[in-house]
Amino acid sequence: MAAREQETTAPETGLGVRQRATWQRAAVSAAVAGLQEFRSAQQVCDVLRAEGRAIGMSTVYRALQAMAELKQVDVLRGDDGEMLYRRCGHGHHHHLVCRVCGATVEVTGEAVERWADRVAEKHHYTDISHSVEIFGRCADCAGS
Amino acid sequence: MAAREQETTAPETGLGVRQRATWQRAAVSAAVAGLQEFRSAQQVCDVLRAEGRAIGMSTVYRALQAMAELKQVDVLRGDDGEMLYRRCGHGHHHHLVCRVCGATVEVTGEAVERWADRVAEKHHYTDISHSVEIFGRCADCAGS
DNA sequence: TTTGGTGCAAAACCTTTGCATTAGG
DNA sequence: CCTAATGCAAAGGTTTTGCACCAAA
């Protein structure tokens, strides 16, 4: 929760200057890059292990955390409270998630951002963040 | 997650027909009724115990769960994933929550509702619901 | 009496951390 | 070499569950 002491990040590589490149980080990064849906750390770990890459849970968690801090992945809290990760689009956005199959559309909403800021300001709240997710049933899952 | 086999609810009392009235449920209900902020099950439990009512955590959890199902309380997931409860306001609304002290303001946002509907429609998602919460630091907690 | 409720402790989960070991630079 | 990164296991925290006992109806 506390702000990192020093953000020594090299934007081009996405790696912190003092960070080392390991195959584990690359593997997690690759796994996430291919994601179309939000997946848990556990699932990411399972996928990698299924591919034969023996990797520890803690490493996966640490890698995902790092990527989240570098804004390379989106983090979402599922209904059951577990953290879900997905490759990140550019800029600030929200999600339209199919509650049946998990298919996700990234959406932006100027209007919402402004509304949130306005509401917060009106009530003298500072240091604002907001979570906006829309859940529904996508066209493919309409019939189920 | 599965739908209840039979919703045998008596609206006037808010108690299911086959549910028994215990002082524990009443206590939890009373505690929540007085809440202005979102509180965790743990906190609700602490309050009751401080009042001298020795009550078990599981009972508090079960009572809150039941109340949530009957829509007598709002349930929210904090940033850290823990469940937070608060008495329920009337009608559809969202929350502006202080992440330090939990002080909550209920807010409505026509703009957001319409935006969500529009976005969903555009991507052919149906059966829409959305979760919109704004977190920040309230005026009283601004300095911490 | 019947049967849902309670409460304890244990289990189930998810996530983080401590620490010895490995390996990137 | 130096030290960040790894991986295991253990700790932490929240929520759920099994089960014997209690009490509302």
Side-chain angles (χ1 to χ4, degrees):
Chain A
M1 193 118 266
R4 194 149 240 73
E5 315 75 33
Q6 42 176 356
E7 275 292 343
T8 41
T9 299
E12 337 78 42
T13 66
L15 285 171
V17 206
R18 3 188 107 252
Q19 296 195 320
R20 293 174 181 175
T22 61
W23 67 261
Q24 287 95 332
R25 300 271 242 235
V28 171
S29 190
V32 168
L35 284 187
Q36 298 298 318
E37 314 83 17
F38 279 90
R39 293 276 117 100
S40 67
Q42 186 66 250
Q43 291 176 307
V44 170
C45 195
D46 290 347
V47 168
L48 292 176
R49 284 176 174 171
E51 291 175 354
R53 289 70 169 342
I55 189 174
M57 276 297 296
S58 9
T59 302
V60 174
Y61 271 108
R62 284 188 277 237
L64 289 171
Q65 258 174 343
M67 294 176 70
E69 263 171 36
L70 295 175
K71 299 228 163 66
Q72 295 176 343
V73 293
D74 284 335
V75 187
L76 198 62
R77 252 237 211 219
D79 282 342
D80 55 354
E82 81 180 342
M83 286 172 154
L84 301 175
Y85 305 86
R86 180 181 188 263
R87 67 169 163 48
C88 193
H90 304 313
H92 182 68
H93 58 264
H94 298 291
H95 302 104
L96 171 59
V97 185
C98 174
R99 69 166 72 82
V100 178
C101 71
T104 302
V105 180
E106 290 187 358
V107 297
T108 58
E110 279 292 316
V112 179
E113 315 300 332
R114 276 187 274 104
W115 169 79
D117 288 345
R118 193 157 14 91
V119 166
E121 193 177 350
K122 178 159 121 190
H123 295 280
H124 308 294
Y125 274 57
T126 53
D127 194 13
I128 296 306
S129 68
H130 56 256
S131 91
V132 175
E133 312 298 342
I134 310 177
F135 297 97
R137 183 175 302 214
C138 74
D140 290 344
C141 298
S144 51
Chain B
M1 194 115 270
R4 193 152 238 71
E5 316 75 34
Q6 41 176 355
E7 274 294 344
T8 40
T9 299
E12 336 79 42
T13 66
L15 284 171
V17 205
R18 2 188 108 252
Q19 296 196 322
R20 292 175 182 176
T22 61
W23 68 261
Q24 286 95 333
R25 298 226 167 173
V28 171
S29 190
V32 167
L35 284 186
Q36 299 298 317
E37 317 82 16
F38 277 92
R39 292 276 116 103
S40 66
Q42 186 65 251
Q43 290 174 308
V44 170
C45 195
D46 290 346
V47 168
L48 292 175
R49 285 176 173 170
E51 290 174 355
R53 287 82 165 339
I55 189 174
M57 275 297 296
S58 10
T59 302
V60 174
Y61 271 108
R62 285 189 276 236
L64 288 172
Q65 259 174 343
M67 293 176 71
E69 260 172 37
L70 295 175
K71 298 230 163 68
Q72 295 176 345
V73 293
D74 283 335
V75 186
L76 199 62
R77 280 272 176 191
D79 280 341
D80 55 354
E82 82 179 340
M83 286 173 150
L84 302 174
Y85 305 86
R86 180 180 188 264
R87 68 166 163 50
C88 197
H90 304 311
H92 181 69
H93 59 263
H94 298 290
H95 302 105
L96 172 58
V97 186
C98 174
R99 68 165 72 82
V100 177
C101 72
T104 302
V105 181
E106 287 187 1
V107 298
T108 57
E110 281 291 318
V112 180
E113 315 299 334
R114 276 187 273 104
W115 170 78
D117 288 345
R118 193 158 12 93
V119 166
E121 193 177 351
K122 178 159 122 191
H123 294 280
H124 309 294
Y125 274 56
T126 54
D127 194 13
I128 298 305
S129 69
H130 56 257
S131 95
V132 175
E133 313 297 343
I134 310 177
F135 295 96
R137 182 174 303 214
C138 74
D140 291 345
C141 297
S144 50

